[in-house]
């Protein structure tokens, strides 16, 4: 990952080696939440990711818990881990907006301040072959949220 600053690389590797919020739907304390699960696939390598969202059933409909499992490269796993941290407490609209900003950054279309720590992944925009790795968790998130809105 020579394209990333050393500091960023350390944080990304830390998320890869010690992923935050790795788990299944059973790991979610299911009080006053609706749990939705969504499979995601990176078609370029065949790696799969499973995402579980716990959405509050109150009128607020905020993401109370987010878990993920599945296998993939360091970038996909670090991106998923960082995403789960960033999403906690967000409303569905805020989560969709963050996802949009993240995809724009990875596609080299600008960096929104709301991305916070996720900005550490901006170097991936220079590695086109890894864009699908970095966005796998986010595309899966969007599918999950759009499905549950229906
Ligand atoms: Fe499969 Fe990155 S190589 S997700």
């Amino acid at each position: 990952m020579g394209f990333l600053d050393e500091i960023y690389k350390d944080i990304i590797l830390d998320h890869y080696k010690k992923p935050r919020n790795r788990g299944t739907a059973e790991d979610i304390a299911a009080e006053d939440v609706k749990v939705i699960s969504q499979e995601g696939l990176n078609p370029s390598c065949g790696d799969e990711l499973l995402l579980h969202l716990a959405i509050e059933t109150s009128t607020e409909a905020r993401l109370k818990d987010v878990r993920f499992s599945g296998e993939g490269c360091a970038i996909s796993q670090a991106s998923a881990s960082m995403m789960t941290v960033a999403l906690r407490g967000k409303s569905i609209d805020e989560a969709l907006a963050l996802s949009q900003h993240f995809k724009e950054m990875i596609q080299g279309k600008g960096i929104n301040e709301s991305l916070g720590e996720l900005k550490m992944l901006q170097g991936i925009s220079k590695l086109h072959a890894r864009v699908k790795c970095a966005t796998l968790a986010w595309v899966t998130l969007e599918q999950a949220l759009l499905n549950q809105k229906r």
Side-chain angles (χ1 to χ4, degrees):
M1 290 198 282
F3 57 97
L4 297 169
D5 288 348
E6 284 302 311
I7 280 191
Y8 290 0
K9 197 167 83 177
D10 284 350
I11 292 169
I12 292 165
L13 281 176
D14 183 62
H15 272 273
Y16 173 53
K17 289 181 183 156
K18 289 182 281 178
R20 321 303 195 258
N21 304 311
R22 229 184 130 78
T24 65
E26 284 75 46
D27 296 317
I28 291 175
E31 257 181 50
D32 304 324
V33 292
K34 175 167 95 172
V35 178
I36 51 176
S37 299
Q38 180 73 46
E39 265 178 17
L41 170 75
N42 181 347
S44 27
C45 64
D47 286 328
E48 286 176 340
L49 183 125
L50 192 55
L51 192 63
H52 308 282
L53 307 175
I55 300 174
E56 283 178 346
T57 45
S58 66
T59 44
E60 293 248 352
R62 289 187 178 271
L63 290 167
K64 204 168 181 182
D65 202 349
V66 185
R67 306 281 173 141
F68 78 101
S69 59
E71 301 305 322
C73 63
I75 288 175
S76 72
Q77 298 290 296
S79 180
S81 174
M82 291 170 84
M83 181 187 84
T84 63
V85 174
L87 287 179
R88 283 212 178 192
K90 294 258 187 302
S91 70
I92 290 176
D93 286 345
E94 286 167 349
L96 287 170
L98 194 65
S99 183
Q100 189 60 35
H101 294 319
F102 184 83
K103 288 192 305 184
E104 284 168 7
M105 176 181 77
I106 296 295
Q107 290 160 3
K109 294 180 185 162
I111 296 167
N112 188 286
E113 277 310 306
S114 68
L115 287 165
E117 202 180 52
L118 294 162
K119 286 187 275 191
M120 292 175 199
L121 293 170
Q122 65 183 265
I124 294 163
S125 65
K126 300 196 175 63
L127 262 190
H128 292 183
R130 311 311 294 277
V131 163
K132 284 200 168 72
C133 303
T135 54
L136 173 59
W138 296 87
V139 171
T140 309
L141 168 76
E142 289 180 358
Q143 283 168 349
L145 293 178
L146 294 175
N147 284 346
Q148 78 90 39
K149 268 190 169 181
R150 283 186 198 132

